Amino acid sequence: MEIKTDDYSIWYEEAASTVYFRGFLRLDGMEEYQPVMDLLLSAVDKSPTLTLNLQDLEFLNSSGISMLSMFVVKVRDRGDVQLILQGSNKVLWQTKSLRNLQRLMPGLALELT
C-alpha cells in the first residue's frame, strides 16, 4: 500500500507493521484525506501493533491533524491494537500535536527523537 505524490509519500511496510510518512501533507478537507485514512485502517487490520513513523513528515495541516485524531479514536475504540507514534523533536508540529493525540488514547506510545 502506497500513496505517492510530488509533495509526500505514505507507505505501509507489513513486515515492520509500520506506516511511513514523508514530505509535506496539506490536503483540503477530510474528503482528500480519505485515501490516507483508508490506508491506515487497512494497515491496522493487519497487525495487533501498528507504528506510524512521522519523523520525515515536515508539515501536516489542520485537516491532516484532524484525520490523525479520528484515526487514533477509531483505534482506541477497537481496544485491540497497540499504536506507536514515532516523531521528531526537530519538527514543531509534531512536538505539539502528537502529545495531544496521546491524550485521546492514553495507551498510545509516543516516541519523539
Side-chain angles (χ1 to χ4, degrees):
M1 292 182 285
E2 181 175 15
I3 301 171
K4 187 172 185 176
T5 73
D6 290 341
D7 294 328
Y8 65 89
S9 300
I10 303 167
W11 70 98
Y12 175 59
E13 289 187 8
E14 190 166 350
S17 297
T18 301
V19 177
Y20 294 90
F21 292 75
R22 177 171 291 151
F24 296 84
L25 193 49
R26 50 182 141 216
L27 303 174
D28 289 329
M30 292 307 294
E31 283 186 28
E32 290 193 17
Y33 275 102
Q34 191 60 48
V36 178
M37 177 65 92
D38 292 343
L39 186 150
L40 292 172
L41 292 173
S42 177
V44 83
D45 284 340
K46 297 182 181 199
S47 175
T49 300
L50 181 67
T51 301
L52 304 186
N53 185 322
L54 302 156
Q55 294 172 325
D56 292 328
L57 186 62
E58 297 180 46
F59 180 82
L60 182 65
N61 66 4
S62 59
S63 294
I65 292 169
S66 294
M67 181 273 306
L68 269 183
S69 298
M70 291 173 61
F71 174 72
V72 167
V73 169
K74 286 178 187 271
V75 171
R76 180 195 67 196
D77 291 347
R78 284 177 54 139
D80 63 348
V81 176
Q82 171 64 46
L83 188 60
I84 302 165
L85 297 184
Q86 295 177 329
S88 171
N89 280 319
K90 296 177 182 174
V91 182
L92 183 61
W93 79 265
Q94 293 184 15
T95 58
K96 292 182 176 182
S97 298
L98 296 184
R99 291 187 197 289
N100 288 334
L101 295 177
Q102 197 172 32
R103 291 185 186 136
L104 295 173
M105 182 178 174
L108 179 153
L110 179 58
E111 300 172 357
L112 292 173
T113 57

